Amino acid sequence: MSDIMRATHGSHKTPLVIGNVSIPCYVLEDGRRVLSGNGMQKALGFKGTAGDWLIRFASAKKNAPYMSPEIYAGLENRIQFLRPSTGGSVSVTYGYEATLLIDFCDAIIEAKNAGDLVPSQMKYAMAAEMIMRSVAKVGIIALVDEATGYQDERPRDALQNYLDQFLLKEYAKWAKRFPDEFFENIFKMKGWTWRDAYTRKPQVMGRYVNDIVYDRLAPLILEELRKVNPPNEKGNRKAKHHQFLTPDVGHPKLQEHLAGVIALQRVAGVSWSRFLDMLNRAYPRYGHTIPLAFSDDSKK
């Protein structure tokens, strides 16, 4: 059993709920999102206990033309893995990659629209349409993460979704001027989860960036950036401030500053106040008094 992949997240108590059906779902050690094979069959309306219904349905003469090579590959590569069981033990189970459900639903609907489903199979098409109305192929990943609790451990994916909320799409590609770790560390110190990213106001992070970076990068730099990159009537700017930094001086200085800030973030751990204290000492805002440290004796 040591060679079998383990599920790191998910259990029968945390199913993926789509409409009025529930499907046990898991995230494996390698990051694959997996749905229970039996759960998929039940979600599509199959009432029996046979574990090969998906394969038999896909191989039926009238259904086969609608099944893509990806579907056949997914069905043939059924995933065996270890999942948590009652009493702290583990048990072997079987499943399929989560996106296979969407591909399978799409194929059933195509067969139905072409008139190639027999009357007894129409219930499968109805179930497939319900599933397709409830989720999209991209969304299935997020839904599995939500059900299993994996969403707090996928910062790279969530970060880009968060950045897209407060970056104009045409300028989103410039976000990598700021390393992912810069934003991740702020989330940790503020005690936010990545789920908070979808409800927290973008302006909060904007203020932090101005304070931590541009206010401390060079004298009057933030004031000048606000002049050349003013907000419109809705409060949005046409670009990000760092796009106005020069490539020979401005960008290297920004990267040097961010490297120092990230080092302070690492030392501060999860303490926001400790980070700000070190930041004010190492990179004081231009025009502000530098805080001085005194020993207890000198204070007396």
Side-chain angles (χ1 to χ4, degrees):
M1 276 194 188
S2 59
D3 295 333
I4 301 178
M5 193 72 63
R6 287 177 175 266
T8 59
H9 295 74
S11 73
H12 67 283
K13 295 181 180 179
T14 57
L16 171 64
V17 178
I18 303 176
N20 59 355
V21 299
S22 299
I23 311 173
C25 57
Y26 308 88
V27 176
L28 306 187
E29 292 172 299
D30 60 0
R32 280 181 294 174
R33 284 76 163 183
V34 175
L35 300 181
S36 155
N38 285 333
M40 282 179 58
Q41 293 183 166
K42 291 179 181 178
L44 288 167
F46 178 70
K47 303 298 184 182
T49 58
D52 63 346
W53 176 82
L54 291 171
I55 295 176
R56 288 189 288 108
F57 184 91
S59 302
K61 185 176 181 180
K62 281 195 171 184
N63 300 336
Y66 303 98
M67 301 291 163
S68 67
E70 290 77 16
I71 292 177
Y72 285 118
L75 291 173
E76 290 172 2
N77 295 299
R78 188 172 62 156
I79 302 167
Q80 183 184 39
F81 63 98
L82 298 174
R83 64 172 175 83
S85 189
T86 55
S89 60
V90 294
S91 59
V92 177
T93 191
Y94 297 87
Y96 301 97
E97 291 210 37
T99 54
L100 179 63
L101 174 62
I102 303 303
D103 291 335
F104 208 92
C105 287
D106 195 41
I108 293 175
I109 294 170
E110 280 192 46
K112 175 230 174 186
N113 291 340
D116 283 335
L117 291 184
V118 298
S120 62
Q121 295 177 327
M122 292 302 292
K123 60 184 178 182
Y124 306 137
M126 291 176 62
E129 288 173 341
M130 183 275 293
I131 291 171
M132 293 295 278
R133 284 195 301 268
S134 301
V135 298
K137 190 165 185 176
V138 174
I140 192 71
I141 299 299
L143 287 172
V144 173
D145 289 356
E146 177 82 8
T148 60
Y150 188 63
Q151 75 279 352
D152 293 335
E153 300 186 26
R154 51 164 189 164
R156 298 304 191 280
D157 293 341
L159 174 64
Q160 190 56 56
N161 292 335
Y162 173 65
L163 291 176
D164 285 345
Q165 291 187 48
F166 71 94
L167 289 180
L168 295 174
K169 290 293 183 181
E170 58 266 33
Y171 297 108
K173 63 182 180 180
W174 294 95
K176 288 305 176 183
R177 285 286 180 191
F178 285 72
D180 291 348
E181 189 180 358
F182 172 79
F183 295 102
E184 292 167 12
N185 289 336
I186 291 177
F187 267 70
K188 291 175 183 177
M189 288 187 287
K190 296 301 291 183
W192 300 340
T193 66
W194 288 106
R195 185 184 301 176
D196 293 327
Y198 300 103
T199 58
R200 196 163 299 281
K201 291 183 178 180
Q203 289 84 352
V204 172
M205 188 61 76
R207 288 199 294 270
Y208 289 155
V209 170
N210 284 340
D211 177 24
I212 296 170
V213 179
Y214 295 116
D215 253 346
R216 305 166 193 267
L217 194 61
L220 303 177
I221 189 68
L222 181 58
E223 181 180 338
E224 185 62 25
L225 287 171
R226 284 171 171 163
K227 289 180 181 177
V228 298
N229 188 31
N232 59 25
E233 63 276 4
K234 294 183 178 180
N236 300 317
R237 301 181 191 277
K238 65 179 181 179
K240 300 309 293 179
H241 281 335
H242 60 72
Q243 289 178 253
F244 292 90
L245 299 178
T246 58
D248 56 337
V249 177
H251 287 161
K253 179 66 175 177
L254 174 64
Q255 298 310 306
E256 177 187 337
H257 181 81
L258 287 171
V261 167
I262 290 173
L264 296 180
Q265 290 176 329
R266 292 172 181 170
V267 174
V270 296
S271 174
W272 180 250
S273 60
R274 186 182 181 194
F275 165 66
L276 290 181
D277 181 62
M278 292 190 296
L279 180 69
N280 287 331
R281 295 176 191 279
Y283 300 103
R285 298 184 193 90
Y286 284 93
H288 289 248
T289 302
I290 301 175
L292 299 176
F294 295 94
S295 68
D296 291 339
D297 290 339
S298 64
K299 288 179 181 177
K300 292 178 183 177

